Amino acid sequence: TNSTVDWEELVREQEQRLYRAALAILGDAQEAEDAVQDTFLKFLEKAPAELDSPPAWLMRVLVNGCRDRLRAAWRRRAFRQP
């Protein structure tokens, strides 16, 4: 875990910003909420102990996660041929 960051404060400050970005990328409210939750979980599990900019790290992880979700959805549609 990232011990130098106040977790509650980070969530409070970044949650809406991340949600808006995810919603803009994914276009679906539930998918956006899931992407934000996954991003915070990844932060707890994988963020370096010393991080210069947690908000920037969170946004990068969120964008990458959203791209992964879009690719997965595209693959599901591509392989689901009538």
Side-chain angles (χ1 to χ4, degrees):
T1 65
N2 195 315
S3 58
T4 62
V5 174
D6 180 349
W7 175 248
E8 290 180 13
E9 182 179 343
L10 182 67
V11 171
R12 191 173 44 254
E13 290 177 354
Q14 299 301 315
E15 188 173 26
Q16 285 303 310
R17 174 178 163 262
L18 294 172
Y19 174 77
R20 286 190 304 270
L23 185 59
I25 294 167
L26 298 170
D28 179 88
Q30 186 60 52
E31 282 289 320
E33 288 177 18
D34 291 347
V36 171
Q37 184 175 27
D38 289 348
T39 299
F40 282 122
L41 288 173
K42 285 180 184 173
F43 181 85
L44 285 174
E45 295 170 355
K46 299 180 180 182
E50 294 299 320
L51 196 58
D52 290 335
S53 178
W57 191 94
L58 287 167
M59 185 59 74
R60 176 52 37 211
V61 170
L62 176 80
V63 169
N64 289 342
C66 288
R67 287 179 179 164
D68 291 344
R69 287 172 179 274
L70 291 172
R71 274 192 293 269
W74 180 84
R75 284 187 193 115
R76 282 191 301 273
R77 283 191 305 273
F79 289 113
R80 192 183 333 141
Q81 297 176 352

